[in-house]
Amino acid sequence: MSDKPEKKIFKIRREAGYIGLKIDYPYELNQDQLDAVYSKEPRVLVLAGAGSGKTRVITYRVAYLLEKDVKQHQILLATFTNKASKEMLHRVETILEKPLSGFWGGTFHSIGARILRREAEILGYSSNFTISDREDAREIMSIVRSEQSRDYTKKRFPQSSLLADIISLARNTARTIPEVIVWRYSFLLTDTDAILKIANDYEKRKRELNTMDYDDLLINTLKVMKESDEVRKKYALNFRHILIDEYQDTNAIQGKLIELLASEGANLFVVGDDSQSIYAFRGALYSNILEFPERFDNVVIKKLEINYRSTPPILNFANEIFKDAPKHFRKTLRPVKKTGEKPYLIALRDADEEAMFIATRVLDLNEEGISLEQIGVLYRAQSNAMSLEMELKKRRIPYRVRGGLRFVEQAHIKDILAHLILVANPKDEISWKRVLKLQKKVGPRRAQEVWATISHKSDPLAKFLDTKFFGENGKGPLKDLKKLLRHLRTPETNPAEAIFQIAESPYRYYLKDKFPNYMNRMGDIEELGNFAEKYKSVTEFLDEISLLGGLSAEDIITAEENDDILTISTIHQAKGLEWNIVFLIHCREGNLPSIYAEKEGGVDEERRVFYVAVTRAKDELYITYPQLMRRRGTMPVLKRVSPFVDDIDDSKYQEVLLEYEDVPASEKDDKLKDQLKEIDLSDDDDELQCDENILN
């Protein structure tokens, strides 16, 4: 018998599903996340609340499947950006400590391209078809448009860029072109037949050129699946596990494609948040996530409600946003953090005072040790940020505009400023050429001819108004411009009145023909005019506005501070991001919800936009709203806070009183006083571009 004492035995409990697995899932995931990753049900809808670890769940789900001996080629992971796809796959490789090969992961478009390379011949394409980026697609559209028998000299007709947007929206929403025109472009109703003809010719031309645009990568993949049951079965039987990220953002085509790929019994694991569905304007179909339990059999819903981002008071506020909203999967975000300040609600006199408050508070926070990188300023529309951008420049606070252009860098704002600049300084060649090329039937060559005729005169504007061009007899292409410029150069014309005159001139038809968001751009111009009301002369206004278009705040700060920059952003561009401190500005009626949101479902989506903004904040949330709104020719109107805030119990936030401290005004920069800063008015196109090549 041994003299050694018996060894003491302690029990260790582990999940049954963990046996034989390398990764310690119970240690890496919370219980909600673990339940989702371990789910054995064939149809799983994971409702991932803001800040709840959505990406973590998807990556560990993929790793879990691979550890359970699912073959890599049997897994399909669809995302909306290459960045998300690469990040997830990199995480899986890191977790498993081995590379992935043969894995079907990427954006919907890249997956579609991969399938079409194998199956395009069914549709009459060869397998070596080219993929047209947006610029190439618009060039093809432009060629097709130019070949039409229609006489475009009798009536303005949509430019190729707008035609491309109309056709794309119809395809991504599974609507007909006439339906889309009635829905979004009612001013083009009389052109419906001509647009249909161009759309048909555009499709024929792409086929002749053996090329597909980005929309085709989805539409043709769906078409192949529908036209060939053999192809559908091949892929539907191959993919045994289909995982979808950001399911609330899928459109009608993507929704149908998922159904076909899952039609042979594949396990479907979709992750999304109905509360963050905010891209209907791009074609996202909110009903895809709402109706998921009805569209598929045996659906199990898993909820991720533990929030790692925000403080309890911010989450208490966020949880109230949907308390009475219909058609919503109920979620209650629960914080990991223990304490925090209630959101602040601050009423300001007007947009200028709102901007002064934010700039002051940002500087105070920075003095307290909060870096500018930890602060985000969010707004519903780009025009909301104009006064703020001006104030940030004055205070020398460096900032970046996320995912877009600064207010005065947008094409339509530069167009308006070009009119004003050539009146204030008739020798400005760049402004002249920009304005001239906005006129119908005037291209670069004719613009140069006009400039060559007037540039050597002491007053080029006077020469322009007194000269006939291109056989002009009172009906030429420059007649309307001459009429407008005569009005603008009168001494009594103030900058606001000048801006409104430009907006009411035939320039508005140019905007209609070129841009799908015509009404939003007209709203921006109206805001520019309202901003200009306080200036007595065009020159004074341009001196001030040059702060936004000239000297950059980033150029002022020292090199060691250069990485510490404030972010300002529309709410849509801020989705998926977070900051320690968030300012939500212009949160008043008529702006949030937007006045353009009266169409069916619009206000509900605006509520989700508000929710996305609120849930970007980690530690502090400031909600501000200017009470006075100025409109041309009327007395200022008093505006209330957004009804979304009004709907929330006032115990969930704290209203703040402001104490005013007058400080000496800074001396004006002599250079800004004596001359206009240069504003880049070269040709541009500020339409939304892809952040990345979707096929990388």
Side-chain angles (χ1 to χ4, degrees):
M1 184 174 179
S2 173
D3 293 333
K4 290 183 180 180
E6 276 189 42
K7 290 184 179 179
K8 195 169 184 67
I9 298 175
F10 290 96
K11 292 182 179 179
I12 179 170
R13 295 182 178 87
R14 62 185 178 190
E15 294 281 342
Y18 176 66
I19 296 173
L21 300 183
K22 178 180 179 181
I23 302 167
D24 189 349
Y25 294 93
Y27 177 79
E28 298 291 342
L29 305 169
N30 67 39
Q31 191 59 51
D32 291 346
Q33 295 168 339
L34 192 65
D35 288 345
V37 168
Y38 278 178
S39 59
K40 294 180 173 60
E41 297 84 1
R43 302 284 190 267
V44 180
L45 170 60
V46 180
L47 293 174
S52 63
K54 166 183 69 69
T55 301
R56 193 172 187 82
V57 165
I58 295 177
T59 53
Y60 274 90
R61 174 68 174 181
V62 173
Y64 177 72
L65 292 174
L66 292 173
E67 281 208 297
K68 297 291 282 184
D69 293 328
V70 176
K71 304 301 182 185
Q72 289 191 26
H73 70 270
Q74 294 179 318
I75 301 175
L76 174 67
L77 170 61
T79 65
F80 276 83
T81 67
N82 278 321
K83 181 180 177 182
S85 174
K86 289 176 181 178
E87 178 186 354
M88 289 180 189
L89 297 183
H90 175 70
R91 287 194 191 185
V92 174
E93 289 179 334
T94 302
I95 293 168
L96 293 175
E97 298 179 355
K98 65 179 182 180
L100 298 176
S101 60
F103 190 90
W104 281 72
T107 64
F108 279 95
H109 293 84
S110 64
I111 291 168
R114 190 170 171 182
I115 292 174
L116 289 170
R117 288 293 179 205
R118 304 177 180 189
E119 316 295 347
E121 293 181 359
I122 294 173
L123 302 178
Y125 284 88
S126 62
S127 60
N128 66 338
F129 64 86
T130 57
I131 298 172
S132 302
D133 62 19
R134 283 174 171 75
E135 190 59 38
D136 292 338
R138 283 170 185 164
E139 181 62 28
I140 297 172
M141 184 71 72
S142 180
I143 294 170
V144 170
R145 180 183 184 274
S146 68
E147 293 174 346
Q148 303 300 305
S149 59
R150 182 186 181 90
D151 184 0
Y152 295 116
T153 63
K154 293 182 179 179
K155 178 186 174 184
R156 298 195 73 122
F157 190 75
Q159 297 294 317
S160 56
S161 58
L162 179 55
L163 291 170
D165 286 322
I166 293 170
I167 294 168
S168 179
L169 184 60
R171 301 176 85 196
N172 281 292
T173 56
R175 300 182 188 219
T176 66
I177 287 175
E179 286 172 341
V180 166
I181 290 174
V182 170
W183 174 37
R184 289 277 185 89
Y185 308 97
S186 57
F187 57 90
L188 294 175
L189 279 171
T190 57
D191 297 313
T192 300
D193 290 341
I195 294 172
L196 278 170
K197 174 71 165 55
I198 289 175
N200 290 331
D201 290 351
Y202 173 65
E203 293 304 314
K204 292 177 184 176
R205 181 58 59 90
K206 283 188 296 179
R207 194 174 294 273
E208 291 170 3
L209 297 173
N210 195 39
T211 188
M212 298 188 196
D213 60 28
Y214 286 161
D215 294 335
D216 290 325
L217 299 180
L218 297 181
I219 291 167
N220 286 342
T221 302
L222 181 63
K223 191 178 294 185
V224 163
M225 297 284 179
K226 285 184 172 181
E227 292 187 7
S228 172
D229 199 52
E230 180 183 348
V231 170
R232 177 194 64 79
K233 280 188 176 181
K234 178 170 70 174
Y235 290 96
L237 289 171
N238 178 74
F239 298 130
R240 296 293 80 206
H241 292 271
I242 300 173
L243 298 89
I244 312 294
D245 184 27
E246 302 285 10
Y247 186 71
Q248 78 281 349
D249 294 333
T250 53
N251 62 27
I253 305 300
Q254 290 159 337
K256 291 175 182 176
L257 190 56
I258 292 166
E259 288 182 16
L260 290 178
L261 289 172
S263 60
E264 297 293 330
N267 290 275
L268 195 53
F269 188 92
V270 304
V271 182
D273 184 3
D274 58 311
S275 300
Q276 297 187 67
S277 178
I278 61 173
Y279 293 118
F281 68 95
R282 292 183 189 169
L285 195 61
Y286 183 48
S287 60
N288 277 355
I289 191 167
L290 285 184
E291 298 171 2
F292 185 83
E294 287 76 47
R295 295 171 69 175
F296 296 94
D297 296 329
N298 304 316
V299 169
V300 172
I301 297 175
K302 308 279 187 179
K303 295 183 181 181
L304 305 182
E305 298 177 301
I306 297 176
N307 178 283
Y308 292 90
R309 178 185 299 160
S310 305
T311 62
I314 291 174
L315 294 185
N316 289 339
F317 185 94
N319 286 331
E320 285 268 308
I321 294 173
F322 294 109
K323 62 180 180 182
D324 299 320
K327 294 183 179 178
H328 185 80
F329 293 118
R330 295 295 172 201
K331 294 185 298 297
T332 302
L333 296 178
R334 306 191 303 275
V336 170
K337 294 180 178 179
K338 301 301 181 186
T339 60
E341 287 285 330
K342 290 181 181 180
Y344 303 102
L345 179 64
I346 306 103
L348 289 310
R349 182 178 184 275
D350 54 23
D352 289 341
E353 187 172 87
E354 180 181 54
M356 284 188 283
F357 165 74
I358 291 165
T360 301
R361 188 68 191 124
V362 165
L363 290 173
D364 288 345
L365 288 166
N366 194 233
E367 285 294 315
E368 294 168 11
I370 304 294
S371 69
L372 297 181
E373 285 285 347
Q374 295 174 296
I375 305 173
V377 182
L378 307 183
Y379 38 83
R380 178 62 184 84
Q382 191 71 47
S383 60
N384 300 158
M386 185 176 181
S387 293
L388 174 64
E389 286 195 56
M390 185 72 70
E391 192 66 26
L392 294 174
K393 290 285 190 178
K394 289 179 180 178
R395 305 285 186 104
R396 300 189 172 190
I397 300 173
Y399 71 95
R400 68 169 67 89
V401 180
R402 174 172 170 77
L405 300 171
R406 299 182 185 207
F407 186 77
V408 298
E409 292 173 344
Q410 299 177 98
H412 53 298
I413 300 300
K414 291 167 78 173
D415 292 343
I416 300 297
L417 295 178
H419 284 81
L420 300 182
I421 290 172
L422 71 80
V423 171
N425 175 19
K427 292 182 177 292
D428 190 300
E429 178 181 359
I430 294 176
S431 297
W432 267 108
K433 288 183 176 179
R434 185 180 187 99
V435 169
L436 287 167
K437 287 186 289 186
L438 295 173
Q439 313 311 308
K440 189 177 181 183
K441 296 176 67 176
V442 177
R445 184 178 62 82
R446 284 194 169 182
Q448 176 57 37
E449 288 178 17
V450 173
W451 176 246
T453 303
I454 66 177
S455 59
H456 63 284
K457 299 295 182 180
S458 60
D459 186 351
L461 179 54
K463 177 65 175 175
F464 174 77
L465 295 176
D466 292 338
T467 304
K468 290 184 179 181
F469 293 98
F470 319 124
E472 185 176 358
N473 56 3
K475 298 181 180 180
L478 299 178
K479 179 194 69 170
D480 291 326
L481 178 60
K482 287 185 175 184
K483 181 179 178 182
L484 173 63
L485 293 179
R486 284 194 181 96
H487 285 301
L488 296 184
R489 76 180 319 211
T490 55
E492 62 272 16
T493 301
N494 60 45
E497 184 62 28
I499 289 168
F500 290 126
Q501 286 183 13
I502 299 166
E504 292 166 0
S505 76
Y507 175 69
R508 68 184 185 275
Y509 299 122
Y510 167 83
L511 285 183
K512 271 186 177 182
D513 295 342
K514 186 171 177 62
F515 297 110
N517 58 346
Y518 155 73
M519 290 302 297
N520 290 336
R521 291 176 188 259
M522 287 297 289
D524 287 347
I525 294 171
E526 183 178 5
E527 288 298 324
L528 183 69
N530 294 333
F531 179 83
E533 289 278 6
K534 57 190 172 187
Y535 299 97
K536 295 178 181 178
S537 70
V538 169
T539 301
E540 181 188 2
F541 169 70
L542 290 172
D543 279 343
E544 188 77 359
I545 209 73
S546 67
L547 282 170
L548 291 179
L551 185 64
S552 116
E554 291 89 331
D555 296 333
I556 298 171
I557 59 177
T558 60
E560 58 266 27
E561 298 172 315
N562 205 36
D563 291 333
D564 191 18
I565 301 175
L566 177 73
T567 297
I568 70 174
S569 173
T570 62
I571 299 169
H572 284 87
Q573 288 289 343
K575 185 173 177 290
L577 303 178
E578 59 184 35
W579 292 270
N580 293 66
I581 314 292
V582 167
F583 292 86
L584 175 55
I585 70 172
H586 252 61
C587 191
R588 69 182 180 192
E589 60 179 339
N591 191 63
L592 192 60
S594 164
I595 58 173
Y596 304 113
E598 298 303 320
K599 295 177 181 177
E600 184 178 353
V603 173
D604 287 342
E605 176 150 323
E606 291 288 297
R607 188 181 295 276
R608 299 193 291 273
V609 170
F610 178 58
Y611 176 84
V612 167
V614 166
T615 53
R616 299 311 94 196
K618 296 165 71 175
D619 300 322
E620 292 184 17
L621 173 64
Y622 296 80
I623 299 174
T624 66
Y625 66 102
Q627 295 174 291
L628 290 181
M629 184 178 73
R630 294 179 175 86
R631 282 290 177 259
R632 178 190 181 193
T634 64
M635 294 293 290
V637 177
L638 191 64
K639 287 288 186 177
R640 293 172 52 83
V641 71
S642 165
F644 298 148
V645 177
D646 248 355
D647 289 344
I648 292 175
D649 190 313
D650 58 14
S651 67
K652 305 297 182 184
Y653 56 86
Q654 49 188 318
E655 296 190 60
V656 176
L657 297 177
L658 299 179
E659 181 178 291
Y660 296 87
E661 177 184 354
D662 292 328
V663 295
S666 302
E667 294 183 6
K668 289 186 177 180
D669 188 333
D670 288 338
K671 291 181 181 178
L672 290 177
K673 185 177 181 181
D674 294 339
Q675 63 182 16
L676 294 174
K677 293 294 291 183
E678 180 183 350
I679 300 177
D680 180 12
L681 292 172
S682 56
D683 288 329
D684 60 0
D685 185 354
D686 66 352
E687 296 176 73
L688 182 65
Q689 301 295 321
C690 278
D691 291 335
E692 53 193 317
N693 184 337
I694 59 170
L695 299 177
N696 283 346

